[in-house]
Amino acid sequence: MQAKKRYLILLSAGACLALLFYLGGVELPAARRSRQDRSRNGYRPEQPWPHYSDPLHAFMTRDQTDSEDYNLHISPRQKRDVNRSVYRGKRCRMDSCFDFSLCQKNGFKVYVYPQQKGEKISESYQNILSTIEGSRFYTSDPEQACLFVLSLDTLDRDQLSPQYVHNLKTKVQSLPLWNDGRNHLIFNLYSGTWPDYTEDLGFDIGQAMLAKASIGAENFRPNFDVSIPLFSKEHPRTGGERGFLKYNTIPPFRKYMLVFKGKRYLTGIGSDTRNALYHVHNGEDVVLLTTCKHGKDWQKHKDARCDKDNAEYDK
């Protein structure tokens, strides 16, 4: 029995050695010396196995990765990379990216670029420009200006929007007073495209200040950028009657404490927050009206509350 076991062990060991010789994993001393001699003479045998340490080639070409189909849905890491590239002047502050000397001579004056012929402009952005031009801070002389505002409409930077302005990067860079955005203020309400919203405006804002709705906390530059509310095109240019506060009335006397009316995103960024609004809606002093009608395929994602919410919204 012991002899039989030794015979099986020797047979298994012999088979393993034969397999290693066949695969080239074990090299005899004589074969090694012969290979070294041939190497000195310039002989290079063909390599039967690939070098896995070599860098792998890209599965997609650069042209393919830059296509619209490839960028249709991007990962959170890609979104952060896009935002970093957009806000190249992320460290900008008033003392580093704003020239106060322009304000010392004539005070705080705002210059609005003349509107270029053929450029479309939305009603909302026209209201902003008209309000500035009607204020006491406006000047038509760029030599007296302390702050510059573009006449190019930057409010809606969603590529699917009919109000999207194309070739904005080239148009902005060609402005003679741009100066990498220094002492400029840019307004923006929408950026990116559903469902992968990013804060890419389609051009580099440089050292310009940004007045933006829904700006990310990681991109907001304190004491430099301005966070503004997301308002609709129906928003009035001027306020209503002058507010008042009754003596010793805390909280202030008013009918509504909180009012919101807008779209309720069924999927994507912001959907969790807006879907939860109905919990605090009481129809009395807290009125939160939302509609599911957002996007072309909203009915595919509609839930049990959509019909009721849409009816309340349309009243």
Side-chain angles (χ1 to χ4, degrees), residues 117-310:
K117 186 177 181 180
E119 287 291 343
K120 61 181 180 181
I121 183 170
S122 64
E123 181 181 352
S124 296
Y125 196 60
Q126 183 61 65
N127 287 339
I128 293 176
L129 299 184
S130 299
T131 302
I132 296 175
E133 292 172 347
S135 71
R136 58 188 176 91
F137 302 104
Y138 172 73
T139 178
S140 59
D141 185 2
E143 296 294 331
Q144 297 183 359
C146 168
L147 185 67
F148 299 83
V149 176
L150 303 179
S151 62
L152 297 168
D153 193 343
T154 58
L155 280 188
D156 195 342
R157 301 306 298 156
D158 184 346
Q159 297 183 18
L160 299 180
S161 172
Q163 298 178 344
Y164 179 82
V165 178
H166 295 273
N167 303 321
L168 193 56
K169 178 179 179 181
T170 303
K171 294 175 182 178
V172 170
Q173 295 295 334
S174 63
L175 296 174
L177 302 175
W178 175 243
N179 191 25
D180 195 32
R182 201 171 183 86
N183 286 55
H184 281 67
L185 178 63
I186 296 173
F187 292 90
N188 176 254
L189 295 180
Y190 310 97
S191 61
T193 299
W194 184 88
D196 299 311
Y197 289 104
T198 65
E199 296 187 28
D200 184 6
L201 304 185
F203 68 100
D204 182 11
I205 66 175
Q207 301 180 47
M209 295 175 290
L210 187 61
K212 178 174 173 56
S214 304
I215 186 172
E218 67 277 7
N219 294 319
F220 182 78
R221 297 166 293 184
N223 301 320
F224 192 74
D225 290 330
V226 183
S227 178
I228 61 176
L230 182 63
F231 57 86
S232 66
K233 63 181 180 180
E234 291 83 12
H235 194 277
R237 285 177 52 184
T238 58
E241 297 181 359
R242 190 177 184 87
F244 63 92
L245 179 64
K246 288 188 175 181
Y247 179 73
N248 254 357
T249 304
I250 300 176
F253 176 78
R254 58 181 59 186
K255 181 177 180 180
Y256 299 107
M257 182 180 69
L258 177 63
V259 176
F260 174 81
K261 185 176 183 180
K263 296 176 180 178
R264 176 162 69 87
Y265 302 126
L266 299 174
T267 59
I269 297 176
S271 58
D272 292 339
T273 303
R274 295 199 178 187
N275 283 340
L277 290 177
Y278 78 98
H279 288 292
V280 294
H281 169 77
N282 59 21
E284 297 178 0
D285 60 337
V286 178
V287 179
L288 304 174
L289 303 176
T290 59
T291 177
C292 298
K293 298 177 182 179
H294 178 62
K296 297 180 180 179
D297 58 346
W298 68 270
Q299 291 183 340
K300 296 180 181 179
H301 307 285
K302 66 179 298 186
D303 53 31
R305 299 199 331 266
C306 278
D307 292 336
K308 181 180 178 181
D309 288 352
N310 292 341

Side-chain angles (χ1 to χ4, degrees), residues 24-59:
V26 175
E27 188 175 31
L28 295 176
R32 185 181 300 110
R33 288 194 300 270
S34 175
R35 182 177 57 80
Q36 291 173 352
D37 294 340
R38 286 182 292 175
S39 178
R40 295 191 190 100
N41 295 331
Y43 176 76
R44 292 291 186 273
E46 294 183 359
Q47 297 176 355
W49 301 101
H51 284 283
Y52 291 105
S53 60
D54 295 342
L56 296 176
H57 296 289
F59 183 75

Side-chain angles (χ1 to χ4, degrees), residues 58-75 78 196:
F59 183 75
M60 284 181 146
T61 64
R62 185 175 297 274
D63 294 337
Q64 288 175 307
T65 56
D66 289 339
S67 65
E68 294 183 359
D69 292 338
Y70 178 78
N71 290 308
L72 185 59
H73 299 290
I74 58 178
S75 66
Q78 288 173 311
D196 299 311

